[in-house]
Structure formats: structure tokens, C-alpha cells
Amino acid sequence: MEDPPFLSNDQILRYGRHLILPAIGMDVQRRICNSSVLVVGAGGLGSPVLQYLAGAGVGRIGIIDADEVDISNLHRQVIHSESEVSNPKVDSARDSCLAINSSIIVETFNERFSRSNAIELVQNYDLVADCTDNVSSRYLINDIAVMCGKPDVSGGAIGTEGQLTVYNYKGGPCYRCLHPKPPPPETVSNCSDNGVLGVVPGIIGSLQAMEILKIVGQFGEPLSAKLLIFDGLSCSFRSMRLRSRSPTCDVCGDKPTIPNVLTDPTADLIDYNEFCGSCHVELDAKDCPSVSCEEYKSIVDQGDEHVLLDVRELVQYEICSLPNSINIPFAQMKERIGEVFKEIGQTDIDPLFGKPVQPVPVYLICRRGIDSLSAARLLLSKDAKNVINIRGGLLQWHRTIDSEFPLY
Ligand SMILES: Nc1ncnc2c1ncn2[C@@H]1O[C@H](COP(=O)(O)OP(=O)(O)OP(=O)(O)O)[C@@H](O)[C@H]1O
């Protein structure tokens, strides 16, 4: 990183409160002004990261995101505003950054960070900030950061908790050293399914910005080989020491099994979605009977006897639900399986013949049709009869049957 020769009078005025800090001063601020950072994801974490980097004068900021601003983003994605709803997040984020500091360069990429663009992008910046919300992007960002020799400042926030660490910094561990295998897809949650308290990504993203400034400005002690965990409910922070770089790591170890496409031009990057099993969520799964929302609506309209089992968490069920449904959250179904069978009428014995009664169909629903599919599979594995998933769940119900049904 080359230091610019001096700070202009305008810069001295703008960054004056940094410059008088003994920890910063002219040299650090000049390094910050001469640095470049790629921010992947302009959502809940990306918002404060981008705002603080712009304010601090990071000279060139890259923003990559393929999403558009949604009204449900605004409680936490504070870089966007109501007037930007439906516009590309990268455009909205760029305008906000430049409104804070018009003297910096902001480069935007209205696309997903993927195998096809990753190397070229990361090579072109000093550091990459992982502000995404999914496991396959985390592995991809990590691997490319390792191959390009760039630090990866990574944040995560869900519900009321968040975490933060710096990977691949001066011989420290990378994401793969700590997580050689991705978690099973069904155990992975996100803000859209589980909710997030808006300020939590705000806090983690602000800390991510702090770590980025320390690395590009070369001051303080970056959070390498340590994980910071924040619990918003008790307002407590915990810091855990992480293992050091693993010699058996598949990407930064002594004998990497992930080909380095930088040093071996004939090699290809792996398919990260496949690696993380993300494409295993087959919504119209062949192993489970299913109906569309339209088909279920005609069953209701015909008055066909059935049970409607809503498997969302109670807090979601209380927001809205279809008439005559019963609620047993998928997360509790294993422990409450006896109760589930009772509720769906599959333990009833015909008093005349002393045999189980012919069960009525059981339709399962959730928000998007994913948990209900898993719940249906669970019931089928326990020999439940006549179990049917409603594809697309309540979101699809809103789209195709009843636009007045609340969307959340
Ligand atoms: N591979 C990727 N490349 C670029 N951007 C990504 C990638 N993966 C995720 N993102 C972006 O990261 C951001 C993450 O934001 P956040 O976690 O706040 O949730 P969201 O996707 O905006 O909203 P919600 O989860 O409520 O639907 C999103 O804007 C998303 O588009």
C-alpha cells in the first residue's frame, strides 16, 4: 500500500477529529485515504460498514450486491431509504456513501459475488468485507481472499445476536480452518426466516468497519484468531480465542485440495452452492406429496374435510394465519410427535371396529414451503398417512390467492 504524499487542507479539515487522535494521526489517515475495500452485500451489515468507511475516507470502495431495496430492509439497512425501495441496493448505497463523502471513489457491481467475478474483484482491492447472509458466499469469499492474499473481515447477525472476526490476516486462520465442512443446510437460518433486531447488524457492522480501518490504516490490534460474540438481550460481549491456521486446511493448509485458480490457470473453482448443499432444498420434492396454493384453496372451497397444520414458530403464527389451522412449530415436532399425531387425528380408533380410523388429509403450511416440507418428511418417516405439503407456503398464498393476507 503506497501512502499518498500529503493530505490536502480539505482533508485535514474533514478528518481533523481522526488526525488529533494519538492512535491515528497523519500517517494512519493517509493510509486509510489510500486504501481500497470491497464490501460484499449492502444489507444490514453492509450499511454501517459502508457508511463508516465512506466517512473515514477509505479512498476506493467497491460495493457488490444483486438485490433491490425492499421495505422490510429499512428497519436495519440504514444506508437505504423509502425513496429507494425497488431500486438496486448498490445504487442506493453508492449515493449514500457519496452524500457522506464526495471525495472518495465508489465502484458498484449490481450482480452477485460469484465464481465468475470473484477473483478479478478481490484482486483489485486491499481487503474484502463479508457482509453477506449465506454460507456458500462465506466459503467463496474466504477462499478467494486466501488465494489473493487479502484479509476477510467477516460479520454475522441473526435474531438478537451477532459475531465478528477477521480471517486470513497475517498468517491467522481462515474460515475453512475453523469450518472445514459446511453445516447441514437445514440447520442454517437467515434473517428472512428467523428475524433480526435491526440494531444488531448495526452494531456488528460498525465493529466490522472498525476492524477494516485498523487493518488498512495499520493501527491497533485486529481481531484475528479471535471471535467476538454479541448478545443484544443482555448487552454482553464475549471474545473467544480461535484455533490458529490449520496445516490441514483445504484452502490455506500445507497441501490444499481446493485448486488455487491464481497460481494454476487450468484449475476451476468448485461449485459453492453444491458444496454447501444449498441446492438440496428441492421445493417440489418427489418424495413428498404436495399441492399448490390454488389446489389447496379449491379443497377449502369444496368443504373437503382435512387438517391444516401450520408449522411456523408461534410468534409468526400470531402475526397471521389461515382459518382453522392448528399450530405446532416444526422445531418442536420431534419432541411433541405424540401430540402431533393426536392433533392430526391419526391416533383415533374406530369404536365399532377397534381399528385406526381412516385419517383425513393433513395439509402442512409455513411461510415459504420449506419447513413444511421438512415437517411433512418427518411425519412420513414416522408412518403418518395422507400428509401433503402446500408448495410456496403463505408467501405464495399472498401472491396467488389473497393479496390482503399479510406479507412479512
Ligand atoms: N454472494 C453475494 N453477492 C453479493 N451480495 C450478496 C451475496 N450474498 C448475499 N448478498 C447480499 O447480502 C445482503 C445481506 O443482507 P441482509 O442479511 O441484511 O438480508 P437481506 O437479504 O437484504 O434481507 P432479508 O433476509 O430480510 O430478505 C443482501 O443485500 C444480499 O443481497
Side-chain angles (χ1 to χ4, degrees):
M1 240 183 273
E2 207 180 288
D3 290 345
F6 58 82
L7 292 181
S8 65
N9 282 358
D10 282 348
Q11 287 175 311
I12 290 174
L13 189 62
R14 180 184 282 270
Y15 306 119
R17 302 298 180 275
H18 270 179
L19 296 175
I20 56 176
L21 273 177
I24 299 197
M26 286 295 268
D27 283 350
V28 167
Q29 185 61 50
R30 281 159 48 172
R31 284 195 281 270
I32 291 174
C33 289
N34 199 32
S35 69
S36 59
V37 174
L38 178 68
V39 178
V40 187
L45 295 164
S47 290
V49 167
L50 288 163
Q51 287 171 316
Y52 280 113
L53 296 190
V58 167
R60 190 166 54 88
I61 300 177
I63 314 173
I64 179 162
D65 198 315
D67 201 9
E68 288 166 359
V69 179
D70 186 89
I71 191 84
S72 68
N73 295 151
L74 300 184
H75 82 297
R76 68 185 188 286
Q77 302 187 15
V78 292
I79 200 164
H80 310 298
S81 56
E82 278 184 19
S83 58
E84 297 290 348
V85 167
S86 302
N87 290 340
K89 283 186 179 174
V90 289
D91 291 351
S92 161
R94 178 203 49 221
D95 293 350
S96 297
C97 287
L98 292 175
I100 294 170
N101 191 345
S102 59
S103 73
I104 59 169
I105 296 167
V106 180
E107 296 163 336
T108 55
F109 309 91
N110 189 7
E111 58 196 287
R112 239 183 123 67
F113 182 84
S114 66
R115 287 195 289 174
S116 55
N117 55 22
I119 285 276
E120 205 182 322
L121 281 165
V122 174
Q123 266 185 313
N124 197 21
Y125 293 87
D126 298 327
L127 176 153
V128 55
D130 183 349
C131 302
T132 66
D133 55 355
N134 58 87
V135 183
S136 60
S137 297
R138 281 199 198 289
Y139 276 100
L140 174 62
I141 293 168
N142 175 75
D143 293 359
I144 304 297
V146 169
M147 290 171 201
C148 297
K150 308 283 165 91
D152 165 9
V153 179
S154 174
I158 191 136
T160 55
E161 291 170 8
Q163 37 179 271
L164 168 79
T165 189
V166 174
Y167 295 118
N168 197 39
Y169 177 71
K170 291 194 174 168
C174 81
Y175 182 65
R176 251 181 219 276
C177 294
L178 305 159
H179 306 281
K181 296 269 172 291
E186 63 276 14
T187 63
V188 178
S189 45
N190 61 33
C191 297
S192 132
D193 289 332
N194 291 65
V196 60
L197 184 66
V199 287
V200 174
I203 289 165
I204 299 297
S206 302
L207 289 168
Q208 251 178 301
M210 174 88 189
E211 293 311 300
I212 294 167
L213 292 179
K214 287 191 319 199
I215 294 170
V216 298
Q218 299 168 31
F219 68 103
E221 195 191 322
L223 193 74
S224 173
K226 279 189 210 149
L227 178 73
L228 186 77
I229 301 172
F230 171 63
D231 177 353
L233 290 184
S234 58
C235 197
S236 55
F237 286 93
R238 242 171 355 115
S239 166
M240 275 168 56
R241 194 147 263 301
L242 299 175
R243 58 170 298 172
S244 47
R245 192 181 73 81
S246 164
T248 58
C249 174
D250 284 331
V251 68
C252 73
D254 298 338
K255 288 187 188 143
T257 58
I258 309 266
N260 185 331
V261 288
L262 264 187
T263 52
D264 177 1
T266 61
D268 275 333
L269 285 169
I270 61 165
D271 182 330
Y272 285 82
N273 283 330
E274 198 178 300
F275 172 68
C276 295
S278 322
C279 49
H280 291 174
V281 187
E282 213 187 305
L283 295 180
D284 194 8
K286 306 280 174 288
D287 60 333
C288 178
S290 68
V291 289
S292 64
C293 286
E294 288 92 338
E295 286 165 328
Y296 177 67
K297 172 76 165 54
S298 61
I299 286 157
V300 174
D301 290 346
Q302 287 161 27
D304 292 354
E305 203 187 343
H306 71 280
V307 173
L308 176 61
L309 179 59
D310 188 322
V311 300
R312 291 171 301 149
E313 289 296 322
L314 180 62
V315 279
Q316 296 190 36
Y317 186 70
E318 283 174 348
I319 299 172
C320 54
S321 60
L322 292 181
N324 304 318
S325 57
I326 53 174
N327 174 231
I328 301 179
F330 171 54
Q332 299 174 14
M333 278 177 73
K334 264 193 189 145
E335 295 126 54
R336 294 171 60 187
I337 198 75
E339 192 190 329
V340 178
F341 269 71
K342 225 168 154 187
E343 287 282 351
I344 63 175
Q346 299 210 3
T347 52
D348 299 351
I349 301 291
D350 188 322
L352 215 55
F353 302 103
K355 287 185 178 168
V357 293
Q358 184 62 26
V360 298
V362 183
Y363 291 92
L364 284 94
I365 198 156
C366 67
R367 197 167 82 93
R368 292 192 296 158
I370 297 174
D371 277 358
S372 58
L373 176 62
S374 305
R377 284 181 172 145
L378 173 71
L379 290 180
L380 290 170
S381 74
K382 304 280 179 198
D383 285 334
K385 307 281 180 295
N386 229 346
V387 170
I388 303 142
N389 182 37
I390 301 177
R391 293 193 301 273
L394 293 165
L395 283 182
Q396 195 60 17
W397 185 266
H398 167 94
R399 287 187 194 120
T400 56
I401 308 293
D402 178 10
S403 60
E404 296 288 302
F405 189 83
L407 193 64
Y408 67 94

